[in-house]
Amino acid sequence: MGALSWFITRIKRSLGLEGSGGNEKANKSESPQADHHPAEKSDEKTEEQEHEKEDPKSTKPENGAIVFIYDDGPITDYTEAFPAHKEFDAPATTGIVTEWVGRSDFMDTEELDELVDAGWEIASHTEKHRPLAAFPLLKDAHPKDTEISAEGYRQGHHEGSTVEISDGDTKVIREVAGLGGAPGERRIALTEPVGESFDAEDTEIRHPAEVMHEALGDSKEELEEMGYDVSTLLAPYDAYSGYSDLFVPEYYDGVANARHGSYMNDPDEYDPYETKRDYFIEFTTEAAVKQDLDKIADDALLGVVGAHSIKERVNEESITEMLEWIEEREIEVMTLREAISVYNSDK
């Protein structure tokens, strides 16, 4: 029997059949594949996921955040605002009117490129700086009227532009002749009479849909053709309404100033199409700004502030001072695009 077993074993080895059973398991344990431990690989993936969660651009800053958004794209954004922000390595967003790029006293692509390289964001400010809101009438309009009064209207329906007067049932399209009435009367002059009767309570004046698409779409397209990634909007004249919301989301991820008069945004309920923005040098005081910054830091809020750098008070010194107050409170500075990424409650 022993000789027969030895002979069978030799035949199995010659045919490659030896090693079944316990010996095969031993050989597998010594193979290179045995060095891969699924449990350890799973742990590594978990660590990567945890690292992503800790990315400062995907979590809300403990001391809150603030976004600077400058209006119109004047050369002073580059000569006054940019040096101050560069000193603190703090980004900002600048709202660019595409028709004004390269004009005298406005930034050209050379300056815009430098801002972008430093971390700034280019936002649309429409192509001709036209208001995007619908304005309720202050007074009834009659067929022979060549001027109409609008609530909240300041300016922006420039000579030659087209407006729509509508009460929901009846609408007329008219060309603007310019501003009407005495200064401050908020009246719009038309090139021809209204032609219909409208009750102020039910009627709005606004740009027609095709003009809205032109103002929003052309601006984004032209800025992108210049080489800029454009995903946000700064509404001209701080004029924004429910009518604006019918068009803006088609082109942009958020609007800087859908709500004017405050710049405190609740981080838990933030809607990028309802962003609150107000001014941090114009129309305010040092004491009020410091008080607001304290609240942003204490309650971890999102502040969105703006300024016209073309104004004398808005200069490198005053912007530097603001950035110093922000640094003292350890508030994080980010662009509007970054803020939407971090704070958008619906993302």
Side-chain angles (χ1 to χ4, degrees):
M1 292 293 292
L4 181 60
S5 296
W6 175 85
F7 181 71
I8 292 172
T9 299
R10 295 280 296 183
I11 292 174
K12 284 183 177 180
R13 285 179 179 174
S14 65
L15 297 174
L17 300 175
E18 176 72 352
S20 62
N23 286 339
E24 183 181 24
K25 290 179 182 177
N27 289 339
K28 281 186 176 181
S29 68
E30 294 173 0
S31 70
Q33 293 180 355
D35 292 334
H36 294 281
H37 303 291
E40 292 179 5
K41 186 175 182 181
S42 176
D43 290 342
E44 290 175 3
K45 186 176 181 181
T46 301
E47 289 175 5
E48 290 176 3
Q49 291 172 340
E50 289 300 320
H51 179 70
E52 289 175 2
K53 289 180 181 178
E54 294 171 2
D55 184 347
K57 292 305 181 187
S58 63
T59 57
K60 298 171 184 175
E62 290 184 6
N63 289 358
I66 198 156
V67 175
F68 287 79
I69 303 178
Y70 295 97
D71 293 60
D72 305 333
I75 192 63
T76 44
D77 277 7
Y78 179 78
T79 59
E80 297 292 337
F82 184 43
H85 281 265
K86 195 159 54 171
E87 180 182 345
F88 289 84
D89 194 24
T93 299
T94 179
I96 300 299
V97 181
T98 49
E99 264 199 1
W100 299 352
V101 174
R103 283 188 182 181
S104 176
D105 297 328
F106 284 86
M107 291 186 289
D108 205 339
T109 53
E110 183 178 350
E111 289 81 26
L112 293 177
D113 288 347
E114 195 169 338
L115 295 183
V116 170
D117 289 343
W120 282 48
E121 175 191 8
I122 306 300
S124 167
H125 201 28
T126 75
E127 97 295 14
K128 295 180 180 179
H129 204 267
R130 294 187 280 193
L132 303 173
F135 301 93
L137 292 194
L138 282 171
K139 298 179 180 178
D140 293 344
H142 305 288
K144 294 183 179 180
D145 290 346
T146 56
E147 290 186 355
I148 52 178
S149 300
E151 181 180 348
Y153 179 80
R154 289 185 290 167
Q155 54 185 322
H157 290 123
H158 304 297
E159 182 177 350
S161 64
T162 305
V163 293
E164 177 180 278
I165 306 164
S166 175
D167 61 7
D169 295 319
T170 303
K171 69 178 180 182
V172 297
I173 306 294
R174 292 290 180 265
E175 184 178 319
V176 174
L179 293 176
E185 282 193 47
R186 303 178 186 270
R187 297 181 71 82
I188 303 165
L190 307 173
T191 58
E192 59 181 301
V194 173
E196 298 281 350
S197 294
F198 291 97
D199 292 334
E201 185 178 352
D202 304 316
T203 306
E204 294 179 329
I205 182 170
R206 61 211 186 189
H207 283 303
E210 59 270 22
V211 176
M212 294 290 287
H213 285 295
E214 179 184 292
L216 296 166
D218 288 3
S219 172
K220 179 179 175 68
E221 183 178 348
E222 290 169 20
L223 288 169
E224 289 178 343
E225 286 176 354
M226 295 177 196
Y228 307 117
D229 180 14
V230 179
S231 61
T232 60
L233 173 75
L234 177 62
Y237 307 105
D238 295 310
Y240 200 86
S241 68
Y243 183 68
S244 315
D245 275 328
L246 298 177
F247 306 94
V248 171
E250 181 177 340
Y251 301 96
Y252 302 98
D253 295 335
V255 55
N257 50 347
R259 301 288 178 268
H260 185 56
S262 170
Y263 52 79
M264 302 292 188
N265 293 273
D266 185 333
D268 296 323
E269 299 179 0
Y270 177 63
D271 181 338
Y273 296 105
E274 294 184 358
T275 305
K276 297 177 181 177
R277 169 191 181 255
D278 207 355
Y279 297 98
F280 70 96
I281 295 177
E282 306 155 67
F283 318 114
T284 188
T285 65
E286 177 180 328
V289 171
K290 286 184 175 180
Q291 184 177 358
D292 289 340
L293 292 177
D294 285 338
K295 185 169 180 60
I296 289 172
D298 292 343
D299 298 340
L301 302 178
L302 169 63
V304 181
V305 298
H308 295 83
S309 65
I310 197 169
K311 295 194 174 182
E312 187 175 351
R313 286 186 61 195
V314 185
N315 51 48
E316 182 177 351
E317 182 180 355
S318 60
I319 296 169
T320 297
E321 191 173 48
M322 175 70 165
L323 286 163
E324 287 173 348
W325 300 338
I326 289 169
E327 185 177 67
E328 289 168 2
R329 292 160 176 80
E330 298 183 348
I331 298 171
E332 185 171 336
V333 182
M334 57 180 65
T335 64
L336 181 60
R337 181 189 293 116
E338 290 169 342
I340 290 173
S341 175
V342 172
Y343 288 97
N344 183 7
S345 58
D346 294 329
K347 65 183 178 181

